[in-house]
Short mmCIF file of all heavy atoms in Angstrom, two decimals:
data_model
loop_
_atom_site.label_atom_id
_atom_site.label_comp_id
_atom_site.label_asym_id
_atom_site.label_seq_id
_atom_site.Cartn_x
_atom_site.Cartn_y
_atom_site.Cartn_z
N SER A 31 71.25 86.35 118.82
CA SER A 31 71.29 85.24 117.88
C SER A 31 69.90 84.64 117.72
O SER A 31 69.24 84.32 118.71
CB SER A 31 72.25 84.16 118.39
OG SER A 31 72.14 83.01 117.58
N ALA A 33 69.58 81.86 116.08
CA ALA A 33 69.84 80.43 115.86
C ALA A 33 69.11 79.56 116.88
O ALA A 33 68.99 79.92 118.05
CB ALA A 33 71.33 80.17 115.92
N GLU A 34 68.63 78.43 116.43
CA GLU A 34 67.97 77.48 117.31
C GLU A 34 68.94 76.50 117.93
O GLU A 34 68.55 75.67 118.74
CB GLU A 34 66.88 76.74 116.53
CG GLU A 34 65.75 77.67 116.10
CD GLU A 34 64.64 76.95 115.36
OE1 GLU A 34 64.62 75.70 115.34
OE2 GLU A 34 63.78 77.65 114.81
N LEU A 35 70.21 76.61 117.54
CA LEU A 35 71.25 75.73 118.05
C LEU A 35 72.33 76.59 118.69
O LEU A 35 72.77 77.58 118.11
CB LEU A 35 71.84 74.91 116.90
CG LEU A 35 72.95 73.94 117.23
CD1 LEU A 35 72.41 72.82 118.12
CD2 LEU A 35 73.53 73.36 115.95
N GLY A 36 72.76 76.23 119.89
CA GLY A 36 73.81 76.97 120.57
C GLY A 36 75.16 76.32 120.33
O GLY A 36 75.25 75.19 119.87
N ILE A 37 76.23 77.07 120.65
CA ILE A 37 77.58 76.54 120.49
C ILE A 37 78.49 77.18 121.54
O ILE A 37 78.37 78.37 121.84
CB ILE A 37 78.13 76.78 119.07
CG1 ILE A 37 79.49 76.10 118.89
CG2 ILE A 37 78.19 78.26 118.75
CD1 ILE A 37 79.98 76.06 117.46
N ASP A 38 79.37 76.37 122.10
CA ASP A 38 80.37 76.86 123.04
C ASP A 38 81.67 77.02 122.26
O ASP A 38 82.29 76.03 121.86
CB ASP A 38 80.55 75.87 124.19
CG ASP A 38 81.55 76.34 125.23
OD1 ASP A 38 82.12 77.44 125.06
OD2 ASP A 38 81.78 75.60 126.20
N LEU A 39 82.08 78.27 122.01
CA LEU A 39 83.28 78.53 121.22
C LEU A 39 84.54 78.55 122.06
O LEU A 39 85.64 78.45 121.53
CB LEU A 39 83.13 79.84 120.46
CG LEU A 39 82.04 79.87 119.39
CD1 LEU A 39 81.91 81.27 118.80
CD2 LEU A 39 82.33 78.85 118.31
N GLY A 40 84.42 78.74 123.37
CA GLY A 40 85.60 78.80 124.21
C GLY A 40 86.35 80.11 124.02
O GLY A 40 85.79 81.20 124.16
N THR A 41 87.61 80.03 123.63
CA THR A 41 88.44 81.21 123.41
C THR A 41 88.37 81.62 121.95
O THR A 41 88.58 80.80 121.06
CB THR A 41 89.90 80.93 123.81
OG1 THR A 41 89.93 80.61 125.20
CG2 THR A 41 90.79 82.14 123.55
N VAL A 42 88.06 82.90 121.73
CA VAL A 42 87.96 83.43 120.36
C VAL A 42 88.93 84.60 120.22
O VAL A 42 89.13 85.38 121.15
CB VAL A 42 86.52 83.88 120.02
CG1 VAL A 42 85.59 82.68 119.93
CG2 VAL A 42 86.00 84.89 121.02
N ASN A 43 89.57 84.68 119.06
CA ASN A 43 90.51 85.76 118.77
C ASN A 43 90.03 86.54 117.57
O ASN A 43 89.52 85.97 116.60
CB ASN A 43 91.90 85.18 118.50
CG ASN A 43 92.47 84.52 119.73
OD1 ASN A 43 92.59 85.13 120.77
ND2 ASN A 43 92.82 83.25 119.60
N GLY A 58 88.48 86.92 123.51
CA GLY A 58 87.39 86.66 124.44
C GLY A 58 87.52 85.23 124.92
O GLY A 58 87.90 84.34 124.15
N THR A 59 87.24 84.99 126.18
CA THR A 59 87.35 83.63 126.72
C THR A 59 86.01 83.15 127.25
O THR A 59 85.18 83.95 127.70
CB THR A 59 88.39 83.56 127.85
OG1 THR A 59 88.03 84.48 128.88
CG2 THR A 59 89.78 83.90 127.34
N GLY A 60 85.80 81.85 127.16
CA GLY A 60 84.56 81.26 127.68
C GLY A 60 83.33 81.70 126.92
O GLY A 60 82.24 81.82 127.51
N LEU A 61 83.46 81.94 125.62
CA LEU A 61 82.32 82.42 124.83
C LEU A 61 81.35 81.28 124.53
O LEU A 61 81.69 80.32 123.86
CB LEU A 61 82.79 83.05 123.52
CG LEU A 61 81.69 83.59 122.61
CD1 LEU A 61 80.85 84.65 123.32
CD2 LEU A 61 82.29 84.17 121.33
N ASP A 62 80.17 81.41 125.08
CA ASP A 62 79.09 80.43 124.87
C ASP A 62 77.94 81.17 124.20
O ASP A 62 77.51 82.22 124.67
CB ASP A 62 78.65 79.85 126.22
CG ASP A 62 77.59 78.78 126.08
OD1 ASP A 62 77.49 78.17 125.00
OD2 ASP A 62 76.85 78.56 127.06
N LEU A 63 77.46 80.63 123.07
CA LEU A 63 76.36 81.26 122.34
C LEU A 63 75.13 80.37 122.45
O LEU A 63 74.92 79.47 121.63
CB LEU A 63 76.74 81.44 120.87
CG LEU A 63 78.00 82.27 120.59
CD1 LEU A 63 78.32 82.25 119.10
CD2 LEU A 63 77.84 83.68 121.11
N PRO A 64 74.29 80.59 123.47
CA PRO A 64 73.07 79.80 123.61
C PRO A 64 72.09 80.12 122.48
O PRO A 64 72.17 81.20 121.88
CB PRO A 64 72.48 80.25 124.95
CG PRO A 64 73.53 81.06 125.62
CD PRO A 64 74.46 81.55 124.54
N PRO A 65 71.17 79.21 122.19
CA PRO A 65 70.20 79.48 121.12
C PRO A 65 69.26 80.63 121.49
O PRO A 65 68.95 80.84 122.66
CB PRO A 65 69.43 78.17 120.99
CG PRO A 65 69.66 77.44 122.26
CD PRO A 65 70.97 77.91 122.81
N SER A 67 69.33 83.95 121.89
CA SER A 67 69.68 84.74 123.06
C SER A 67 70.59 85.91 122.68
O SER A 67 71.15 85.95 121.60
CB SER A 67 70.40 83.86 124.09
OG SER A 67 71.61 83.38 123.53
N VAL A 69 74.04 87.79 123.73
CA VAL A 69 75.28 87.49 124.44
C VAL A 69 76.13 88.75 124.46
O VAL A 69 76.33 89.40 123.44
CB VAL A 69 76.06 86.34 123.73
CG1 VAL A 69 77.41 86.13 124.37
CG2 VAL A 69 75.23 85.07 123.74
N GLU A 71 79.95 89.95 125.35
CA GLU A 71 81.29 89.40 125.54
C GLU A 71 82.28 90.51 125.85
O GLU A 71 82.27 91.57 125.22
CB GLU A 71 81.74 88.64 124.29
CG GLU A 71 83.12 88.06 124.36
CD GLU A 71 83.29 86.96 125.40
OE1 GLU A 71 82.27 86.42 125.89
OE2 GLU A 71 84.43 86.64 125.74
N SER A 109 90.51 83.36 115.07
CA SER A 109 90.64 81.93 115.40
C SER A 109 89.72 81.56 116.54
O SER A 109 89.27 82.41 117.31
CB SER A 109 92.09 81.59 115.75
OG SER A 109 92.48 82.27 116.93
N VAL A 110 89.45 80.24 116.65
CA VAL A 110 88.60 79.69 117.70
C VAL A 110 89.34 78.52 118.35
O VAL A 110 89.86 77.65 117.66
CB VAL A 110 87.25 79.18 117.13
CG1 VAL A 110 86.39 78.56 118.22
CG2 VAL A 110 86.50 80.31 116.44
N MET A 111 89.38 78.55 119.68
CA MET A 111 90.03 77.49 120.45
C MET A 111 89.08 77.04 121.56
O MET A 111 89.13 77.58 122.67
CB MET A 111 91.35 77.99 121.03
CG MET A 111 92.34 78.42 119.96
SD MET A 111 93.91 79.07 120.60
CE MET A 111 93.39 80.58 121.40
N PRO A 112 88.19 76.09 121.29
CA PRO A 112 87.18 75.69 122.29
C PRO A 112 87.77 75.27 123.63
O PRO A 112 87.18 75.54 124.67
CB PRO A 112 86.45 74.53 121.61
CG PRO A 112 86.62 74.79 120.15
CD PRO A 112 87.99 75.39 120.02
N ASP A 113 88.94 74.63 123.62
CA ASP A 113 89.54 74.21 124.89
C ASP A 113 90.49 75.26 125.46
O ASP A 113 91.12 75.06 126.48
CB ASP A 113 90.26 72.87 124.72
CG ASP A 113 91.48 72.94 123.81
OD1 ASP A 113 91.76 74.03 123.26
OD2 ASP A 113 92.14 71.90 123.64
N GLY A 114 90.61 76.40 124.77
CA GLY A 114 91.45 77.48 125.26
C GLY A 114 92.88 77.43 124.77
O GLY A 114 93.64 78.37 124.99
N SER A 115 93.28 76.34 124.11
CA SER A 115 94.67 76.27 123.66
C SER A 115 94.86 75.68 122.26
O SER A 115 95.83 76.01 121.59
CB SER A 115 95.51 75.46 124.66
OG SER A 115 95.02 74.14 124.76
N ASP A 116 93.96 74.80 121.82
CA ASP A 116 94.12 74.17 120.51
C ASP A 116 93.11 74.73 119.51
O ASP A 116 91.90 74.61 119.71
CB ASP A 116 93.94 72.65 120.61
CG ASP A 116 94.99 72.01 121.51
OD1 ASP A 116 96.18 72.34 121.33
OD2 ASP A 116 94.61 71.20 122.38
N GLU A 117 93.64 75.34 118.44
CA GLU A 117 92.78 75.92 117.41
C GLU A 117 92.10 74.81 116.61
O GLU A 117 92.71 73.81 116.25
CB GLU A 117 93.60 76.80 116.47
CG GLU A 117 92.78 77.48 115.41
CD GLU A 117 93.59 78.40 114.52
OE1 GLU A 117 94.75 78.72 114.85
OE2 GLU A 117 93.04 78.83 113.49
N VAL A 118 90.80 75.02 116.32
CA VAL A 118 90.04 74.12 115.47
C VAL A 118 90.02 74.77 114.09
O VAL A 118 89.33 75.77 113.87
CB VAL A 118 88.61 73.89 116.01
CG1 VAL A 118 87.80 73.04 115.05
CG2 VAL A 118 88.67 73.27 117.40
N TRP A 120 88.88 74.10 110.95
CA TRP A 120 87.68 74.30 110.14
C TRP A 120 86.78 75.36 110.74
O TRP A 120 86.16 76.15 110.02
CB TRP A 120 86.91 72.98 109.93
CG TRP A 120 86.30 72.41 111.18
CD1 TRP A 120 86.85 71.50 112.04
CD2 TRP A 120 85.01 72.73 111.72
NE1 TRP A 120 86.00 71.24 113.07
CE2 TRP A 120 84.85 71.98 112.91
CE3 TRP A 120 83.98 73.57 111.33
CZ2 TRP A 120 83.71 72.03 113.70
CZ3 TRP A 120 82.84 73.64 112.12
CH2 TRP A 120 82.71 72.87 113.29
N LEU A 121 86.72 75.42 112.09
CA LEU A 121 85.88 76.42 112.75
C LEU A 121 86.51 77.81 112.61
O LEU A 121 85.82 78.80 112.37
CB LEU A 121 85.70 76.04 114.22
CG LEU A 121 84.67 76.80 115.02
CD1 LEU A 121 83.31 76.83 114.36
CD2 LEU A 121 84.56 76.19 116.42
N SER A 122 87.83 77.88 112.73
CA SER A 122 88.53 79.16 112.57
C SER A 122 88.38 79.69 111.15
O SER A 122 88.24 80.91 110.94
CB SER A 122 90.01 79.01 112.92
OG SER A 122 90.17 78.79 114.30
N PHE A 125 85.11 81.23 111.07
CA PHE A 125 85.11 82.38 111.97
C PHE A 125 85.78 83.59 111.33
O PHE A 125 85.42 84.74 111.61
CB PHE A 125 85.82 81.98 113.27
CG PHE A 125 85.63 82.92 114.41
CD1 PHE A 125 84.38 83.12 114.99
CD2 PHE A 125 86.70 83.63 114.94
CE1 PHE A 125 84.20 83.98 116.05
CE2 PHE A 125 86.54 84.50 115.99
CZ PHE A 125 85.28 84.67 116.55
#
Side-chain angles (χ1 to χ4, degrees):
S31 172
E34 294 182 10
L35 180 66
I37 185 169
D38 182 0
L39 295 175
T41 299
V42 292
N43 295 304
T59 58
L61 180 58
D62 183 23
L63 302 174
S67 63
V69 174
E71 179 65 15
S109 64
V110 178
M111 299 179 293
D113 66 358
S115 61
D116 298 313
E117 182 177 348
V118 176
W120 67 267
L121 190 53
S122 291
F125 194 65

